[in-house]
Amino acid sequence: MKNKLLAQCVMTLTFLLVSFIVVAQTKVLKGKVVDETQGPLAGATIKVKGGTAATTTDTEGSFTFTIPSEAKTLEVSFIGYTLKEVPIVGNDITVALEPSAGQGLDEVVVIGYGTARKKDLTGSMVTIGAKNFNKGIMTSPDQLIQGKTPGVMVINNTGQPGGSTTVRIRGNSSIRASNNPLFVLDGVPMSGNSPLPEGRGGFSSDRGNPLTYLNPGDIASMDILKDASATAIYGSRGANGVVIISTKRGKVGQPEVSVGASAGVSTMREYPDVLDAARFREALKYYTPSEVANADFGGNEDAFKAITRKAITQNYYADVAGGTEYGKYRLSGGYLNQNGIIRGSQLKKYTANFNGNFRFLENKRLGLDFAVFLTQMDNKYAPINAMVGSEGNVISQALQWNPTRPLRDDQGNLTFVSSTTRNPLTSIDAFKDLATTNTMVINLAPYYKITDDLEYRFIYSAMRQTGNREGMYRAGLIDPSAVNNEQAFISNNGETNLQMTHMLSYNKQINSDWSVNAVAGYEYLDYNYNNNISFGGGFRYMGLDYFDYLQYTPVSTREISSYRSPTNQLQSLFLRGGFNYLDRYLLTATVRRDGSTKFGSNNKYAMFPSLAVAWNVNQEEFLKSTGIFDQLKVRVGWGKTGNQEFPSGASLNRLVFGNQSVSQANYGNPDLKWETSTTINAGIDFGIWGNRLYGSIDYFNKKTTDALFEQTLAQPAPAGRIWVNLDGEIVNKGVEVALTGTIIKNDNWTWDLTGNATFLKNSVSGLVGYYETGALRGQGFSGVLGQRMVNGQPLNVWYLADYQGIDPQTGMSMYRGQDGSISTANDPAINKFYMHSPNPTTLLGISTNVSYKQFSLAANMNGAFGHYLFNNTAATTLGLSNLSSRNIGSAFFNTAVKESTSNSAAPSTRFLEKGDYLKMANLTLSYRVGNVGRTLKNLNVSLTGQNLFIITKYTGFDPEVNTDGATNGIPSLGIEYLPYPPARNILLGVNFSL
């Protein structure tokens, strides 16, 4: 008994001694992390440099944890802020973090299904913060990043308010499937569909931008993932790159109200170069002197100025944000009223966003993030349809209007010429085109921190979009004989998307040398789309909108159709692991297994792996001692991604319903498999002189195989179409360079300059035969296609007749023949050649910010070079054949060689122009007033000019254009045909907080 008691005493003394030693070797450190305004930062990470001890701040920005007594330095980081190293002095520390400039090398950024320090990244990605977004009238997020980063091309297809854009990351890589990147909103992948229903007939053909429902004022940052090692976590949707949109969140503290407002005017940047009345009379005398008496009406009219206007835009925005120890919240609302520069066009947009972050339990390990986005857009459209032929649209009618003929008679009535020569103001009156779209996104994400290193998160999101479009056509205004056959339609779209994601995240500092992070998850996505349209004719105008009483129409004129997409579901498992050794050697491995209902029964599932390594060379002793580099990292990555952006049900036998009939439209293919892109990426990130100069250089090579394509069954098979995987491959390769420098930085002056350039090359090989697209339209161009997908050429290579000038003897066009001859006898429909590419070989972006005391000036330019555009507007709208009844383009009035008015246009290189341009996208001068009294805080006044000027030799409206010329689903690129013209915008803005 005594021995047992003695043993217990010894054990107790030993335990106390060990505890004393441990306590003597550790100490408790507490503190607080704040932002640049001294507001608390909840969720900031505090880590002992070179050690394993780490913690995060609570909702008040405070932290308490035990550290080794010999610890000397802390590393403090937070998303959107620069990592800061802080010496440990005392037992209570306050750390103030500074916002990152958006390119900082120590910035914490959002990656797929998680976050990471930028210095720990192994893939190719770029983060753009709100302070570096483009300024001006921005209706969608993609416009915010135009020209801001290498490898990303953003084209505004149209000047229509809220109109569509073309976004490409590292070029085109697919023949038939979509080339658009995947957009992810706070972890929710978007479908990429626009809720705007299609029009019918001569109504506007632009489907709008599917991202317009987002308010740019709600966006905090955008992270662009470019190579496969960065995007493979998104598997079958990552082939074209990923753009992660992160929205603004609430902060702990008293409620703060922020208000912003702007108003401005939009005008035509420059009017098209057609003949004025005086020059038109000269042209009549020169080309058609016998018709002068019948073609000169004595007036002086500018029809294009008549259909345009100075358009007023108003934009208002406000939010309130705050929080307590129990949670944070943010509520915002916005209103945009943008009138288009073409009469009759307008966009009204109403947005609301509410999000919150809550933490529960005493240990605050249980949390909930949620967000709700609500948007309604009301559109009015001008009748600018790109699918028109010889009748044209309001743009061509204004361009061709005889400038000597008044648009109105002496009584003020619109002039009527004929049903084929239309008064453009009459066309605006004849079409009434209204649309209302509604979008709701709900995102719920409960999570539980199982241990300090392991967290489980469940994401549930639902997106519901609806679109209603109503149109009526006053045919009697265009053609009095059709006064009893006027038309109307109602079109509706609906889309519901659901997401469920289960995710485990693990982050552990194993010891002073090793740290690991990992994420594993399961995801289920479901997309459901439907539409219907009702049409009727036989109206006679009675003062009411026709679409409100379609039942009035004769049964024989009515048309009705409806559609619901086949099942479109995606189930996925994904895993990513990252390893960091000594802060020098980094490894990231990712794999995702996707299963999709779109593919054949034999190939529903596919694996998408990636592997990337990086070396922080500047951490090596041999480089540290030189003091040259603040950052020098070498990256190499490889990975596979997929593309499933093609119609659901494509692998199945599909039937379509007609009027009391059923026919087979698609034949099933059980072997249909995933289109796959394999990418190799090598890059260098560097920073010198205290990061006053930093940048990156990347080389990439992306090869796409098993291209998805819909083809017509060859005889003697039954008539119909089938989806297949094509032989061959598409290669995109190039080099990206980004460089940022702080030229001046002192107490009064700061000057930063950023430039980025991308050098691209793509080609097609291994195809069997060729595939045509690029529909060219207008008088004499019926059924004409100008582009091909063919071996040994870039995607969408131009295939046109080679124009060799005007024969001075006959006034007719000469073309090169297959035998090399040059003659007017060479038929341009037969003698065609591969001539140039619509794909830019160089993309350029330039941004600069200059500040002096309270003044600042920000300028952003973007450009594209090495590509050719087809000026379809000039080819079929402005030629000499218009004379004498219609106007012509000034370029066609050439007295050096007299062209014949009977010389018809042909799809040739005559209308193929270099698309090189450099555009002053936006220029903003602002003055920071600061606090005014005790009420207004951070008052700022700004003046912004947008689309101010462009340097180009292209003769069309704007080289930044992409009229839809897709054929059989094969996309086109580089066509301009009667587009809604771009506007120059001048805006005065003010913002402040309360």
Side-chain angles (χ1 to χ4, degrees):
M1 186 71 178
K2 290 182 178 180
N3 291 336
K4 185 177 181 180
L5 181 61
L6 180 62
Q8 289 176 340
C9 290
V10 172
M11 290 178 63
T12 301
L13 288 172
T14 302
F15 175 77
L16 291 173
L17 181 61
V18 171
S19 299
F20 176 79
I21 294 172
V22 170
V23 169
Q25 293 177 343
T26 63
K27 65 178 181 179
V28 176
L29 180 68
K30 65 178 182 178
K32 191 171 186 178
V33 180
V34 297
D35 61 16
E36 72 280 13
T37 65
Q38 299 302 304
L41 286 175
T45 298
I46 301 94
K47 174 181 172 294
V48 173
K49 184 176 182 180
T52 60
T55 188
T56 57
T57 56
D58 60 19
T59 54
E60 296 178 339
S62 301
F63 65 89
T64 302
F65 73 133
T66 301
I67 65 173
S69 58
E70 71 274 11
K72 299 185 181 301
T73 307
L74 292 179
E75 292 182 336
V76 186
S77 61
F78 188 72
I79 295 175
Y81 288 77
T82 301
L83 179 143
K84 189 170 187 178
E85 294 188 358
V86 182
I88 299 173
V89 179
N91 297 320
D92 194 343
I93 295 176
T94 297
V95 182
L97 296 184
E98 296 181 358
S100 167
Q103 298 276 353
L105 297 171
D106 284 321
E107 180 187 0
V108 178
V109 296
V110 179
I111 58 176
Y113 302 96
T115 61
R117 293 185 306 174
K118 192 165 186 180
K119 66 188 298 183
D120 293 338
L121 294 176
T122 56
S124 178
M125 69 167 290
V126 174
T127 297
I128 302 173
K131 66 177 292 184
N132 291 319
F133 288 160
N134 288 319
K135 306 298 190 295
I137 302 175
M138 300 294 165
T139 58
S140 64
D142 41 20
Q143 296 171 327
L144 299 173
I145 59 175
Q146 185 181 30
K148 288 294 185 177
T149 180
V152 179
M153 180 177 73
V154 180
I155 298 174
N156 292 300
N157 299 340
T158 170
Q160 168 74 40
S164 63
T165 59
T166 296
V167 183
R168 297 290 182 265
I169 296 179
R170 293 184 166 178
N172 294 325
S173 58
S174 181
I175 291 178
R176 176 61 176 81
S178 171
N179 282 290
N180 292 327
L182 172 68
F183 285 88
V184 178
L185 173 65
D186 289 336
V188 180
M190 302 287 98
S191 70
N193 292 330
S194 170
L196 177 67
E198 292 186 22
R200 190 186 188 284
F203 293 82
S204 173
S205 57
D206 186 77
R207 291 292 309 283
N209 190 321
L211 299 174
T212 304
Y213 74 91
L214 288 172
N215 190 329
D218 285 330
I219 299 175
S221 66
M222 297 175 70
D223 297 88
I224 303 161
L225 315 183
K226 295 188 284 188
D227 73 333
S229 66
T231 65
I233 192 75
Y234 290 100
S236 63
R237 296 161 301 155
N240 300 315
V242 179
V243 180
I244 301 175
I245 301 171
S246 300
T247 58
K248 296 176 181 177
R249 300 285 170 172
K251 296 189 295 185
V252 173
Q254 293 294 322
E256 181 177 275
V257 177
S258 298
V259 178
S262 63
V265 61
S266 301
T267 58
M268 281 285 295
R269 188 184 63 217
E270 54 188 275
Y271 285 90
D273 191 11
V274 295
L275 302 183
D276 60 18
R279 287 279 289 164
F280 182 77
R281 292 184 178 97
E282 291 178 21
L284 290 178
K285 294 176 183 177
Y286 183 73
Y287 289 105
T288 57
S290 62
E291 300 178 25
V292 171
N294 296 324
D296 185 354
F297 296 91
N300 186 358
E301 194 72 77
D302 191 326
F304 213 92
K305 285 187 177 180
I307 66 167
T308 59
R309 62 184 176 184
K310 291 183 178 179
I312 303 301
T313 293
Q314 302 176 68
N315 191 16
Y316 304 98
Y317 179 83
D319 68 37
V320 57
T324 69
E325 59 180 317
Y326 303 104
K328 300 172 291 183
Y329 64 89
R330 181 176 178 274
L331 174 66
S332 70
Y335 169 70
L336 169 68
N337 184 346
Q338 182 185 1
N339 290 293
I341 57 173
I342 300 296
R343 296 182 182 277
S345 57
Q346 182 186 44
L347 167 64
K348 288 185 178 181
K349 179 168 139 180
Y350 311 85
T351 61
N353 170 225
F354 181 53
N355 63 59
N357 314 90
F358 295 96
R359 300 172 76 178
F360 307 96
L361 305 180
E362 186 176 349
N363 58 15
K364 299 178 182 176
R365 290 187 179 273
L366 178 64
L368 172 67
D369 297 341
F370 74 88
V372 179
F373 298 85
L374 300 171
T375 301
Q376 176 172 312
M377 292 187 292
D378 297 328
N379 285 86
K380 295 180 180 178
Y381 295 98
I384 301 178
N385 191 309
M387 312 305 173
V388 292
S390 60
E391 74 278 13
N393 62 30
V394 69
I395 300 298
S396 63
Q397 292 155 19
L399 291 173
Q400 294 180 330
W401 185 259
N402 183 333
T404 69
R405 186 194 294 271
L407 288 163
R408 296 180 182 273
D409 61 21
D410 294 338
Q411 286 73 44
N413 299 315
L414 291 172
T415 303
F416 175 77
V417 181
S418 70
S419 60
T420 55
T421 300
R422 301 180 179 182
N423 186 323
L425 294 179
T426 303
S427 289
I428 290 176
D429 290 347
F431 288 86
K432 188 171 187 178
D433 191 359
L434 310 174
T436 297
T437 57
N438 289 278
T439 301
M440 177 179 67
V441 180
I442 299 175
N443 186 14
L444 298 173
Y447 62 91
Y448 183 73
K449 205 169 181 64
I450 302 169
T451 70
D452 290 341
D453 309 312
L454 183 64
E455 179 183 280
Y456 165 76
R457 180 178 291 262
F458 172 69
I459 301 174
Y460 175 82
S461 69
M463 180 178 189
R464 175 64 179 169
Q465 295 192 103
T466 60
N468 171 261
R469 188 168 182 175
E470 299 172 326
M472 59 178 278
Y473 173 48
R474 296 284 311 279
L477 295 179
I478 301 296
D479 183 357
S481 66
V483 69
N484 293 318
N485 192 29
E486 305 196 330
Q487 305 167 357
F489 72 87
I490 299 175
S491 183
N492 298 285
N493 279 1
E495 182 178 18
T496 303
N497 305 325
L498 300 176
Q499 174 197 7
M500 287 186 290
T501 304
H502 299 271
M503 189 168 61
L504 277 174
S505 300
Y506 180 75
N507 291 277
K508 178 70 173 178
Q509 184 79 36
I510 298 174
N511 55 42
S512 59
D513 295 338
W514 283 95
S515 67
V516 299
N517 65 81
V519 61
Y522 165 81
E523 189 166 71
Y524 167 82
L525 299 165
D526 182 273
Y527 299 101
N528 193 310
Y529 171 82
N530 66 280
N531 67 34
N532 61 73
I533 184 169
S534 301
F535 169 84
F539 291 98
R540 183 182 180 88
Y541 190 63
M542 293 185 287
L544 299 174
D545 292 335
Y546 301 154
F547 41 72
D548 290 331
Y549 57 104
L550 283 176
Q551 66 274 15
Y552 173 79
T553 60
V555 174
S556 60
T557 69
R558 296 178 191 171
E559 300 174 13
I560 186 170
S561 65
S562 59
Y563 168 83
R564 181 176 295 277
S565 64
T567 301
N568 182 4
Q569 297 175 343
L570 188 72
Q571 295 190 56
S572 309
L573 295 170
F574 56 88
L575 175 66
R576 179 179 62 218
F579 305 88
N580 182 325
Y581 179 60
L582 295 176
D583 249 359
R584 302 177 196 172
Y585 313 110
L586 311 171
L587 170 68
T588 303
T590 305
V591 63
R592 181 167 180 135
R593 186 172 190 262
D594 280 330
S596 172
T597 57
K598 289 186 175 183
F599 291 96
S601 55
N602 298 334
N603 291 295
K604 283 193 178 297
Y605 290 89
M607 298 282 284
F608 301 100
S610 76
L611 185 67
V613 294
W615 178 23
N616 279 319
V617 187
N618 63 300
Q619 295 295 324
E620 300 289 353
E621 290 301 327
F622 69 83
L623 199 59
K624 273 186 175 181
S625 60
T626 67
I628 298 174
F629 289 95
D630 302 286
Q631 170 78 357
L632 181 62
K633 179 165 66 175
V634 178
R635 297 176 279 104
V636 178
W638 167 91
K640 289 188 175 183
T641 49
N643 192 345
Q644 64 140 21
E645 299 306 314
F646 69 111
S648 56
S651 65
L652 306 174
N653 290 320
R654 289 183 56 202
L655 305 176
V656 294
F657 294 90
N659 185 7
Q660 294 294 297
S661 66
V662 179
S663 60
Q664 186 160 355
N666 187 81
Y667 286 83
N669 180 0
D671 296 320
L672 190 66
K673 58 186 177 182
W674 304 73
E675 180 175 296
T676 303
S677 294
T678 303
T679 303
I680 296 173
N681 191 96
I684 298 174
D685 301 324
F686 59 89
I688 59 176
W689 302 328
N691 278 331
R692 287 190 65 165
L693 180 67
Y694 60 87
S696 63
I697 302 173
D698 277 83
Y699 166 80
F700 64 90
N701 189 317
K702 183 163 117 177
K703 182 184 298 183
T704 301
T705 56
D706 296 320
L708 291 161
F709 191 77
E710 185 185 26
Q711 66 183 24
T712 302
L713 287 168
Q715 298 296 325
R721 301 180 71 80
I722 186 172
W723 279 87
V724 298
N725 296 102
L726 296 177
D727 294 329
E729 62 185 33
I730 301 149
V731 175
N732 269 285
K733 56 186 177 181
V735 175
E736 300 172 347
V737 180
L739 191 63
T740 297
T742 302
I743 301 173
I744 299 175
K745 188 172 185 179
N746 55 43
D747 292 341
N748 293 326
W749 284 94
T750 301
W751 180 16
D752 296 328
L753 180 63
T754 297
N756 68 78
T758 307
F759 306 96
L760 293 164
K761 182 179 180 181
N762 71 25
S763 61
V764 182
S765 62
L767 289 182
V768 178
Y770 59 82
Y771 301 91
E772 292 188 290
T773 186
L776 306 178
R777 302 182 175 94
Q779 183 72 39
F781 273 36
S782 178
V784 171
L785 302 177
Q787 296 179 342
R788 282 187 174 182
M789 310 291 190
V790 65
N791 293 331
Q793 298 289 344
L795 283 171
N796 297 97
V797 64
W798 293 109
Y799 187 64
L800 302 166
D802 187 7
Y803 173 73
Q804 293 293 321
I806 300 295
D807 183 352
Q809 303 301 318
T810 64
M812 306 299 285
S813 294
M814 298 183 293
Y815 301 97
R816 177 162 62 98
Q818 296 291 342
D819 59 358
S821 63
I822 297 175
S823 171
T824 59
N826 290 326
D827 186 350
I830 299 174
N831 295 279
K832 293 186 177 183
F833 302 87
Y834 295 113
M835 304 288 291
H836 306 300
S837 168
N839 303 284
T841 58
T842 304
L843 304 176
L844 184 65
I846 303 172
S847 300
T848 189
N849 294 274
V850 181
S851 63
Y852 173 71
K853 294 184 177 180
Q854 293 171 277
F855 289 94
S856 62
L857 178 69
N860 298 285
M861 303 183 76
N862 66 77
F865 306 88
H867 61 301
Y868 284 76
L869 307 176
F870 190 84
N871 192 338
N872 200 163
T873 302
T876 57
T877 302
L878 299 177
L880 272 176
S881 58
N882 283 346
L883 291 176
S884 61
S885 60
R886 299 177 179 179
N887 203 0
I888 64 172
S890 296
F892 291 92
F893 187 3
N894 182 6
T895 57
V897 178
K898 189 173 184 178
E899 182 177 354
S900 170
T901 56
S902 62
N903 185 35
S904 58
S908 72
T909 56
R910 180 180 189 182
F911 309 103
L912 198 61
E913 303 182 34
K914 281 190 175 183
D916 298 356
Y917 76 90
L918 183 64
K919 177 181 290 188
M920 177 58 75
N922 47 81
L923 183 69
T924 298
L925 176 65
S926 59
Y927 179 72
R928 180 172 50 83
V929 180
N931 298 339
V932 179
R934 296 184 177 180
T935 304
L936 295 184
K937 300 178 182 178
N938 302 316
L939 176 63
N940 190 79
V941 180
S942 62
L943 181 66
T944 296
Q946 187 179 8
N947 200 14
L948 291 177
F949 65 83
I950 187 168
I951 303 171
T952 184
K953 292 184 178 180
Y954 180 68
T955 63
F957 283 99
D958 195 307
E960 187 189 332
V961 68
N962 186 24
T963 302
D964 184 10
T967 305
N968 293 326
I970 306 174
S972 66
L973 184 67
I975 300 172
E976 184 212 89
Y977 185 52
L978 308 180
Y980 193 117
R984 175 187 286 127
N985 307 312
I986 305 295
L987 291 169
L988 180 64
V990 60
N991 56 75
F992 56 87
S993 59
L994 302 173

